[in-house]
Amino acid sequence: MYKILKWAVLLLIISVGGYMLAEWKMKKEIVSFLERKIPNHIDFSYDQLAINLIKGNIAFNDVAVISLGKQTSSCEIKINAKQLSIQGFSYWKILFQNAIYIKSLTLSKPHLNFKTCPKDPDNVVANSSNPINLLKEINVEELIFDSGIVEIWDSKEEVELIAVESIDLSLKDVATDPSIITEYIPFTFSEYTIEIKDFNAPLGDYEKLQLASIVINNSTIDVQNISLSTTFSKAELSNEITYQRDHLSLFIPAIKVEHHNYIVANDSLQVNFKTLSLTEPKLEMYRDKSRLEDFKNRPLYGKLLQKLSFKVAIDSVLVKNGTIIYEEDIPNDVKAGALSFENLDASISNLSNISHAENPVKIQLEANLMGTGKFHLNWEFEVYDPQSTFLISGGLANFNTASLNEFLVPNLRTQTTGTIDQLYFTISGNEHVATGDIKMSYDDFKFQVLNKERNGVKKVLSFIGNLFINDGSKTDIDGFRHGDISTQRIKNKSFFNYLWINLQDGLLDVLTGDGKKE
């Protein structure tokens, strides 16, 4: 019995000793592997390395990674994490199948700080590095990025370009091999979930983007409480700018994308969405007209889509119960005039800048104009049409024109009365000229020209003006008066200005012409 006990103790000591020796040997091999395989431009350090050979677990505590970039020492990535843990390392796979298999790889509470590269080529300093030559296939059942923080700064670390307060990431069935590792995306995966909270990013010198949360998985993207706004107040922006610029405030409670995927080919990205839905967006724009007008050419929307740095193909965009408010402030010490569209529902189909897209972009919109009139619009255009041709049709019903006075009085020193019962228009044009036709039925339409202080009517001018306006009695058999549209585009102004001057030209012809259809 004593001999059995002695041999058992001896065997236990040998087993424990052998395990400790194997653990020490494994740690040494891991350290050696990291020294050989990590490129020169990456510094990887940790406070403690823990190994459980039986379970196949490896953990690096208090990890720090500094990367100076492959091409320049001016780029810098810093990652600090509480732990980098590997669980379920398969010895069988590596010994007999020449492959690395891991059940899970987790980066716990990482803080990623990224500094972008300078654009000045004189500041770029080449830095030699050892490429990663992968000899084995690697498979990770689940890759986890747990409770991370992300900061992206400009090259001088003066401007924070992106800030993310919390990010959680899970990738399933992650795999790479000697051929995949050299691709644009150096690994493959199946299911994934990304959850981001409190995303903030400046958009140039004047605007910022904020998102409360984003949840992305294989099939959907859900974004909550999106805000795009000017960082300055209206008065501050006027002091900052030389040329006219819109002060923006856009808030969208929810955006949802259904069935999304991404294609990368020849370093080019293509984004594909089945459906993009925006719920109750509210856009407020304000323009101070006392600033100088910018006479640079403003391209139409087709040209803007062409200039995107990536390809996009969205089958359907849906806008539900939106609001648009546009204010224009003329330097006249009068409250800014406002135009508004409420209860706006819109659909956009075939929104794409792919050159071989078969169908044109089509937009349908319905809204209440100034809270009263029922306004609808149909608009289509070809993105790659050399002449930027477009076709628009639409109408307005049951509109009390007096509701426009909030905009007309401060900006045009005029006010109107009367009702537009029905209005229909069709406009076809390109980036240079547009023509079309319009018809309208209305009652008792009149306008008045106001004095400089806008508190009285210039009776003589108003009387003369109304002499040329038909009261709506001379109509066709259906009660409509007809007019023609013919305009030239003001190329430094927006497409909506182009639409407005077309409608303005048509309305003038209806009110002052003979009203007959040619």
Side-chain angles (χ1 to χ4, degrees):
M1 183 68 181
Y2 174 75
K3 287 184 178 182
I4 295 175
L5 183 60
K6 182 174 70 172
W7 281 105
V9 171
L10 181 61
L11 182 61
L12 179 61
I13 293 173
I14 292 173
S15 298
V16 172
Y19 178 83
M20 294 177 65
L21 179 63
E23 188 177 274
W24 172 84
K25 180 66 174 175
M26 177 62 77
K27 287 183 179 180
K28 186 177 179 180
E29 288 297 323
I30 290 173
V31 172
S32 175
F33 175 83
L34 294 175
E35 290 176 348
R36 287 183 288 108
K37 290 298 182 180
I38 293 179
N40 295 338
H41 64 280
I42 297 177
D43 181 21
F44 179 87
S45 62
Y46 53 91
D47 284 349
Q48 185 180 5
L49 172 61
I51 294 177
N52 186 321
L53 291 177
I54 297 174
K55 294 183 177 181
N57 295 346
I58 304 170
F60 299 90
N61 294 325
D62 296 323
V63 174
V65 180
I66 299 177
S67 172
L68 298 179
K70 280 190 172 184
Q71 304 299 328
T72 171
S73 59
S74 298
C75 304
E76 187 174 277
I77 300 173
K78 296 179 181 178
I79 302 175
N80 294 284
K82 184 176 182 180
Q83 188 179 75
L84 171 61
S85 65
I86 296 171
Q87 294 185 332
F89 182 87
S90 174
Y91 303 109
W92 179 269
K93 294 277 187 181
I94 197 168
L95 290 174
F96 298 102
Q97 297 183 13
N98 196 32
I100 296 174
Y101 174 84
I102 298 169
K103 189 172 183 62
S104 69
L105 190 154
T106 303
L107 193 61
S108 299
K109 296 185 177 179
H111 186 162
L112 185 148
N113 186 297
F114 176 65
K115 184 171 69 174
T116 60
C117 301
K119 294 182 179 179
D120 186 355
D122 294 333
N123 291 333
V124 176
V125 179
N127 180 28
S128 61
S129 61
N130 293 332
I132 299 177
N133 295 317
L134 193 64
L135 300 178
K136 296 179 176 63
E137 179 183 335
I138 299 176
N139 293 276
V140 180
E141 194 170 313
E142 184 173 19
L143 176 64
I144 300 170
F145 193 88
D146 180 37
S147 302
I149 297 173
V150 177
E151 298 175 12
I152 300 179
W153 295 81
D154 71 333
S155 58
K156 296 181 180 179
E157 289 192 282
E158 295 176 349
V159 179
E160 191 172 24
L161 303 177
I162 292 177
V164 176
E165 290 297 321
S166 175
I167 178 170
D168 292 282
L169 167 69
S170 172
L171 300 178
K172 298 290 184 68
D173 304 320
V174 180
T176 188
D177 58 31
S179 61
I180 296 175
I181 197 71
T182 62
E183 298 291 335
Y184 185 83
I185 299 177
F187 56 89
T188 61
F189 53 90
S190 58
E191 297 179 15
Y192 67 94
T193 301
I194 305 171
E195 185 171 355
I196 296 172
K197 294 181 180 178
D198 297 324
F199 175 97
N200 293 271
L203 300 177
D205 297 328
Y206 299 100
E207 285 82 37
K208 63 181 178 181
L209 176 66
Q210 297 175 300
L211 310 174
S213 69
I214 313 171
V215 179
I216 307 172
N217 57 39
N218 292 63
S219 60
T220 63
I221 302 174
D222 284 291
V223 188
Q224 299 293 319
N225 296 332
I226 310 98
S227 170
L228 192 162
S229 59
T230 301
T231 55
F232 302 97
S233 69
K234 294 175 182 177
E236 289 171 342
L237 180 64
S238 295
N239 291 330
E240 288 285 331
I241 60 176
T242 301
Y243 296 97
Q244 294 176 20
R245 183 184 183 90
D246 289 332
H247 184 280
L248 297 173
S249 175
L250 171 63
F251 179 75
I252 309 174
I255 293 178
K256 186 165 187 176
V257 175
E258 299 278 1
H259 304 296
H260 60 96
N261 64 78
Y262 311 88
I263 300 172
V264 177
N266 300 321
D267 292 341
S268 177
L269 173 66
Q270 179 177 320
V271 177
N272 302 303
F273 293 164
K274 183 71 174 177
T275 305
L276 170 63
S277 301
L278 293 78
T279 302
E280 297 184 355
K282 184 175 183 179
L283 172 62
E284 297 181 76
M285 296 179 289
Y286 166 88
R287 175 160 290 213
D288 183 355
K289 301 290 284 187
S290 69
R291 303 293 91 186
L292 296 177
E293 189 169 350
D294 189 347
F295 288 99
K296 293 179 182 177
N297 186 18
R298 297 182 67 174
L300 298 183
Y301 287 103
K303 295 286 178 64
L304 291 175
L305 283 169
Q306 290 180 42
K307 292 180 179 180
L308 284 178
S309 59
F310 59 93
K311 298 298 182 183
V312 62
I314 305 176
D315 291 352
S316 178
V317 179
L318 302 175
V319 178
K320 302 174 184 176
N321 197 24
T323 301
I324 298 175
I325 300 173
Y326 174 72
E327 287 186 287
E328 199 170 86
D329 198 356
I330 304 293
N332 52 25
D333 297 323
V334 178
K335 179 177 180 277
L339 282 173
S340 65
F341 294 87
E342 297 92 8
N343 300 322
L344 187 151
D345 292 324
S347 65
I348 305 173
S349 58
N350 311 315
L351 183 60
S352 171
N353 62 355
I354 298 173
S355 58
H356 58 269
E358 297 180 357
N359 300 312
V361 178
K362 292 185 178 181
I363 301 168
Q364 293 182 314
L365 180 150
E366 294 183 353
N368 292 339
L369 174 59
M370 303 297 289
T372 60
K374 301 294 183 182
F375 178 75
H376 70 273
L377 184 76
N378 298 300
W379 171 19
E380 65 177 68
F381 60 90
E382 296 274 1
V383 172
Y384 283 93
D385 188 316
Q387 295 297 317
S388 298
T389 58
F390 63 86
L391 177 65
I392 289 181
S393 63
L396 180 65
N398 303 320
F399 183 60
N400 182 355
T401 61
S403 63
L404 278 177
N405 290 335
E406 184 178 343
F407 184 78
L408 297 176
V409 170
N411 292 310
L412 300 178
R413 273 175 51 193
T414 61
Q415 64 184 20
T416 65
T417 60
T419 301
I420 296 176
D421 297 319
Q422 297 285 339
L423 180 149
Y424 300 98
F425 61 89
T426 300
I427 304 167
S428 61
N430 55 39
E431 60 183 341
H432 306 293
V433 296
T435 59
D437 55 73
I438 186 170
K439 66 179 183 178
M440 180 170 71
S441 64
Y442 58 95
D443 294 314
D444 298 325
F445 186 89
K446 293 180 180 180
F447 80 95
Q448 295 173 320
V449 180
L450 305 180
N451 60 24
K452 186 176 181 181
E453 290 74 26
R454 293 165 173 76
N455 56 11
V457 176
K458 287 189 174 183
K459 295 182 180 180
V460 175
L461 287 177
S462 298
F463 175 74
I464 294 173
N466 285 310
L467 286 178
F468 294 96
I469 294 180
N470 187 283
D471 63 4
S473 60
K474 296 180 180 180
T475 65
D476 64 12
I477 192 172
D478 296 317
F480 287 97
R481 287 178 56 82
H482 297 262
D484 293 321
I485 296 170
S486 179
T487 65
Q488 288 187 335
R489 182 183 170 224
I490 305 172
K491 294 186 179 180
N492 66 298
K493 293 185 180 293
S494 70
F495 178 82
F496 294 102
N497 172 268
Y498 196 13
L499 175 60
W500 166 247
I501 64 175
N502 276 279
L503 291 176
Q504 188 180 47
D505 185 78
L507 286 170
L508 185 62
D509 196 39
V510 168
L511 295 171
T512 62
D514 60 18
K516 296 180 180 179
K517 184 176 181 180
E518 296 183 358

